[in-house]
């Protein structure tokens, strides 16, 4: 059973010693080949930051910098492109009516823009629902992709509901990156799309002399889709090649931490946070079994610590928005402060360990830091 925050009241965290022995099937092997065929594809940088390694008492720290992925300022294009590709292929196989379809989604920015970009490139239409609080520049970026945008007066969940209703019409399909019972195939394809990010890390680490893979990967988590992809990648390997996997959430929206602590998925009431893309109250239905089975630890961080992490990454020439900086804030929380040595031991980290931080967005993905209550999907 996980240890919970009550044992260490100064830090909300949970740890599951059994996670490293949990196993699952791998992602499809053709995802990276598909992405490699897209115009403008190239692996995003994996940047080593020795000063962070010295600060945290580990051997090497690398940041996977997703500030420019297929021309967009976040990793979401990987999932959206693969899911749209699979959706259109499935429609053709099923003999559905040819011609343009409308790809419908709800978003707080990055995912919707990625869906709209794919629609434009493939000659399809896009209809994107955005909840209240989304910055006008983020909305304008989606409009610039030639998408129809509907601004919703309610929160993210309301935008998702309206998007699902709109997608029920003729020649329309919902491309949503949040799963619920009865809607799981397309979100599953989105998760598969994120596997390219992990495959790139393998190749880049090997090129930098880390041939056995990382010892820990720190992952920002909203509903858990990216974390599901990372767990799938590393927990489908032989037991001897299994790194520790750490999820990081805002203290104001720590649904995965709460669920891991209780041993079952639960919804939490979310508050305000600058980490808008992580402001989620319920884990994804398809992600939960992977999160519970394969995550070694979870931690929640305050906005102030996250702002410091973003500023420190910027000083090291890494463009990282609030969600992208969360993995550094979370790792710092785990490796410093009260009971840090116990947490370090639980994660099996030592002075030679290699750590990877997943910076999922650049500063351009967040035109204005806001504390508006929104939901996300990372």
């Amino acid at each position: 059973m996980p240890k919970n925050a009550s044992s260490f009241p100064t830090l909300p965290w949970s740890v599951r010693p059994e996670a490293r022995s949990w196993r699952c099937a791998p992602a499809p092997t053709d995802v990276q080949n598909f992405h490699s065929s897209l115009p403008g594809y190239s692996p995003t940088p994996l940047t080593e930051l020795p000063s962070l390694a010295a600060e945290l008492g580990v051997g090497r720290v690398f940041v996977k910098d997703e500030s420019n992925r297929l021309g967009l300022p976040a990793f979401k294009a990987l999932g959206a492109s693969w899911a749209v590709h699979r959706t259109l292929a499935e429609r053709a196989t099923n003999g559905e009516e040819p011609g343009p379809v409308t790809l419908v989604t709800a978003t707080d920015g990055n995912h919707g823009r990625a869906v709209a970009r794919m629609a434009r490139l493939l000659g399809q239409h896009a209809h994107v629902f955005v909840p209240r609080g989304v910055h006008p520049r983020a909305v304008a970026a989606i409009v610039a992709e030639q998408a129809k945008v509907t601004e919703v007066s309610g929160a993210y969940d309301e935008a998702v509901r309206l998007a699902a209703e709109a997608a029920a019409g003729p020649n329309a399909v919902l491309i949503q990156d949040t799963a619920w019972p009865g809607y799981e195939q397309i979100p599953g394809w989105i998760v598969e799309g994120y596997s390219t990010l992990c495959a790139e890390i393998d190749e880049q680490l090997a090129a930098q002399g880390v041939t056995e893979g990382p010892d820990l990967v720190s992952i920002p988590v909203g509903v858990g889709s990216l974390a599901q992809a990372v767990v799938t990648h590393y927990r489908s390997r032989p037991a001897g090649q299994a790194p520790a996997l750490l999820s990081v959430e805002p203290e104001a929206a720590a649904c995965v931490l709460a669920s891991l602590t209780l041993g079952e998925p639960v919804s939490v009431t979310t508050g305000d946070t600058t980490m808008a893309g992580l402001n989620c109250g319920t884990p994804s239905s398809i992600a939960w079994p992977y999160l519970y089975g394969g995550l070694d630890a979870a931690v929640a961080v305050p906005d102030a610590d996250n702002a410091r992490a973003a500023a420190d990454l910027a000083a090291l020439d890494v463009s990282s928005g609030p969600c992208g900086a969360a993995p550094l804030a979370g790792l710092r929380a785990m490796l410093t402060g009260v009971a840090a040595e116990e947490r370090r031991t639980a994660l099996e980290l030592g002075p030679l360990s290699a750590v990877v931080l997943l910076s999922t967005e650049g500063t351009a993905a967040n035109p204005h830091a806001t504390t508006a209550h929104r939901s996300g999907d990372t």
Side-chain angles (χ1 to χ4, degrees):
M1 292 298 294
K3 297 179 183 179
N4 60 44
S6 63
S7 301
F8 303 94
T10 58
L11 179 68
W13 78 292
S14 174
V15 62
R16 296 187 64 256
E18 319 87 55
R20 224 166 296 191
S21 61
W22 189 82
R23 288 295 172 269
C24 62
T29 58
D30 53 343
V31 179
Q32 189 177 19
N33 290 336
F34 164 76
H35 285 134
S36 297
S37 72
L38 295 177
Y41 168 80
S42 63
T44 54
L46 185 73
T47 303
E48 184 169 8
L49 300 177
S51 61
L52 289 183
E55 173 197 334
L56 296 170
V58 296
R60 304 178 76 176
V61 171
F62 300 88
V63 175
K64 183 63 168 169
D65 180 356
E66 293 290 311
S67 61
N68 185 3
R69 171 64 77 175
L70 291 167
L72 296 176
F75 77 109
K76 293 298 183 70
L78 292 174
S81 60
W82 178 249
V84 170
H85 166 72
R86 289 297 310 270
T87 297
L88 297 179
E90 191 94 347
R91 289 176 64 87
T93 300
N94 293 338
E96 298 189 47
E97 184 176 337
V101 299
T102 299
L103 308 177
V104 186
T105 195
T107 187
D108 62 2
N110 293 329
H111 171 70
R113 187 177 177 187
V115 171
R117 171 70 62 88
M118 288 306 301
R120 179 172 63 81
L121 292 176
L122 296 174
Q124 310 298 321
H125 305 303
H127 187 181
V128 180
F129 289 75
V130 296
R132 67 171 182 259
V134 174
H135 195 278
R137 279 163 54 190
V139 176
I142 298 171
V143 172
E145 300 292 346
Q146 302 174 14
K148 176 183 177 182
V149 173
T150 297
E151 297 189 59
V152 177
S153 59
Y156 177 81
D157 289 347
E158 176 69 4
V160 171
R161 184 184 69 80
L162 293 174
E165 290 180 358
N171 295 320
V173 61
L174 184 67
I175 308 291
Q176 197 59 54
D177 48 357
T178 301
W180 56 85
Y183 181 73
E184 296 182 331
Q185 183 179 56
I186 289 174
W189 288 337
I190 290 172
V191 171
E192 289 176 358
Y194 299 152
S195 66
T196 291
L197 184 156
C198 299
E200 290 176 358
I201 290 173
D202 287 345
E203 297 166 0
Q204 292 167 320
L205 284 176
Q208 298 191 59
V210 185
T211 56
E212 296 183 0
D215 297 292
L216 179 140
V217 181
S218 185
I219 315 154
V221 170
V223 299
S225 297
L226 176 60
Q228 179 186 349
V230 176
V231 168
T232 298
H233 183 77
Y234 290 107
R235 298 301 184 240
S236 59
R237 295 178 164 191
Q241 301 177 21
L245 302 178
L246 169 68
S247 73
V248 184
E249 299 169 282
E251 284 187 345
C255 64
V256 170
L257 175 59
S259 298
L260 290 174
T261 300
L262 293 175
E264 61 183 6
V266 296
S267 296
V268 301
T269 300
T270 61
D272 293 336
T273 175
T274 55
M275 293 168 269
L278 308 182
N279 195 355
C280 303
T282 306
S284 167
S285 63
I286 60 172
W288 169 248
Y290 292 82
L291 304 180
Y292 185 70
L295 283 177
D296 292 79
V299 65
V301 296
D303 282 4
D305 289 357
N306 193 66
R308 176 195 167 204
D312 289 346
L313 288 170
L316 295 170
D317 295 324
V318 176
S319 171
S320 188
C323 298
L328 173 56
L331 187 63
R332 274 178 168 158
M334 292 295 285
L335 300 186
T336 60
V338 176
E341 284 307 313
E342 180 167 350
R343 294 191 292 271
R344 188 182 295 265
T345 299
L347 295 172
E348 299 182 15
L349 292 181
L352 301 179
S353 297
V355 172
V356 173
L357 310 175
L358 302 186
S359 179
T360 51
E361 63 176 10
T363 53
N366 283 272
H368 176 64
T370 177
T371 56
H373 178 195
R374 289 188 249 153
S375 292
D377 41 61
T378 303

